[in-house]
């Protein structure tokens, strides 16, 4: 359900773990879009010189256990969603709900990737404002919480 949903992942993860998750921002910077993978630039309709916010964060349980680890790339411009994407305390899904905004999310990838030398499920999606892409989000899920059905191969 988490990988197929086009709604708030935070809400789904909180229901799964049975407690409120907190945001931990691990790195946040503004940089030129040319430093991004070409696929992300294409998904966000960015020219190489466009400035973007790049944030690495985690959603954690109150005792500090990572539930998801996330990469957020947001179009950096004067935009009504800027405060949501730059918040260091409020997860994006909660920020959108607090503002009474229901932004569509278009899933652009799911599968398996790495989590501390094991495999985990991931979901990548684009947050839309109408038809305009405003952010790319890549979420990796703790495999002890969101099993991915894959085994680590030596």
């Amino acid at each position: 359900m988490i990988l197929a949903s086009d709604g708030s992942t935070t809400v789904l993860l909180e229901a799964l773990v049975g407690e409120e998750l907190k945001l931990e921002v691990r790195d946040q910077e503004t940089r030129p879009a040319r430093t991004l993978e070409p696929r992300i630039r294409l998904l966000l309709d960015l020219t190489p010189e466009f400035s973007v916010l790049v944030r690495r964060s985690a959603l954690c349980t109150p005792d500090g256990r990572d539930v998801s680890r996330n990469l957020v790339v947001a179009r950096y411009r004067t935009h009504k969603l800027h405060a949501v994407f730059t918040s260091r305390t409020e997860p994006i899904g909660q920020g959108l709900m607090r503002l009474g905004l229901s932004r569509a999310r278009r899933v652009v990838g799911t599968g398996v990737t790495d989590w501390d030398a094991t495999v985990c499920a991931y979901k990548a999606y684009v947050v839309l404002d109408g038809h305009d892409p405003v952010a790319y989000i890549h979420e990796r899920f703790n495999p002890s919480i969101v099993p991915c059905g894959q085994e680590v191969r030596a």
Side-chain angles (χ1 to χ4, degrees):
M1 177 169 62
I2 287 174
L3 298 183
S5 171
D6 62 358
S8 173
T9 307
T10 304
V11 170
L12 294 173
L13 290 173
E14 287 179 339
L16 188 63
V17 299
E19 53 191 339
E20 187 174 321
L21 299 176
K22 64 182 177 102
L23 173 67
E24 183 179 302
V25 175
R26 298 189 171 156
D27 183 54
Q28 185 167 287
E29 64 181 337
T30 302
R31 63 184 196 207
R34 72 176 163 276
T35 64
L36 302 172
E37 296 173 25
R39 178 174 183 262
I40 296 173
R41 285 198 317 260
L42 181 65
L43 289 168
L44 292 178
D45 192 26
L46 298 171
T47 60
E49 61 277 349
F50 206 98
S51 289
V52 292
L53 170 78
V54 178
R55 178 172 90 174
R56 294 191 183 279
S57 62
L59 291 176
C60 306
T61 60
D63 64 359
R65 182 177 179 202
D66 286 4
V67 176
S68 71
R69 295 176 183 158
N70 313 301
L71 167 68
V72 177
V73 178
R75 295 174 64 96
Y76 198 80
R77 60 181 173 171
T78 304
H79 192 279
K80 57 190 164 202
L81 300 178
H82 176 75
V84 172
F85 293 119
T86 58
S87 175
R88 290 187 169 271
T89 58
E90 185 174 48
I92 291 169
Q94 290 177 352
L96 293 172
M97 287 187 292
R98 179 182 50 77
L99 294 174
L101 302 172
S102 176
R103 294 293 176 243
R105 295 160 177 90
R106 180 171 38 100
V107 177
V108 296
T110 59
V112 295
T113 189
D114 67 301
W115 181 286
D116 297 340
T118 189
V119 293
C120 70
Y122 82 87
K123 176 170 69 172
Y125 56 93
V126 174
V127 178
L128 302 168
D129 184 19
H131 296 290
D132 298 326
V134 294
Y136 168 84
I137 301 177
H138 186 279
E139 299 172 315
R140 293 180 297 143
F141 304 105
N142 185 326
S144 68
I145 296 169
V146 180
C148 66
Q150 299 285 321
E151 293 182 20
V152 176
R153 297 178 192 228

